Amino acid sequence: MGIATGTSLRTQRTSLSIQQANCEARFVAEYLVGLNATQAAMRAGTAIEQGARLLVAASVRAALAAGTKRQLEKGFSFER
């Protein structure tokens, strides 16, 4: 039973990691649209309070930097 439990825990952790990565990816995409963490969190389907936390996560910051770079290379302007 120990092996099944260990395997089950690994599967759960992997599943949670994938869900977290998907959540972060949705947040990044939404944030790049409006540059508003609260609105991006709502549109990404996460709790509003998650917006500020996601902005400081290293993986999200890296994805935002890469997304911003791609937008600038395409000639996208952040000015409204």
Side-chain angles (χ1 to χ4, degrees):
M1 184 158 181
I3 294 174
T5 302
T7 302
S8 178
L9 288 175
R10 273 194 301 274
T11 302
Q12 288 175 349
R13 280 189 215 125
T14 301
S15 177
L16 289 174
S17 296
I18 291 170
Q19 288 174 350
Q20 182 177 358
N22 289 338
C23 172
E24 290 177 358
R26 286 192 311 270
F27 174 81
V28 167
E30 294 296 342
Y31 185 81
L32 290 171
V33 170
L35 302 177
N36 182 307
T38 300
Q39 292 296 318
M42 289 181 357
R43 289 190 305 262
T46 65
I48 294 172
E49 300 83 24
Q50 296 273 346
R53 184 191 62 78
L54 286 167
L55 275 180
V56 298
S59 58
V60 171
R61 290 176 61 144
L64 286 172
T68 301
K69 182 179 178 185
R70 275 193 308 273
Q71 287 181 333
L72 291 174
E73 288 171 352
K74 290 181 179 180
F76 181 86
S77 173
F78 288 104
E79 296 177 16
R80 294 181 183 214

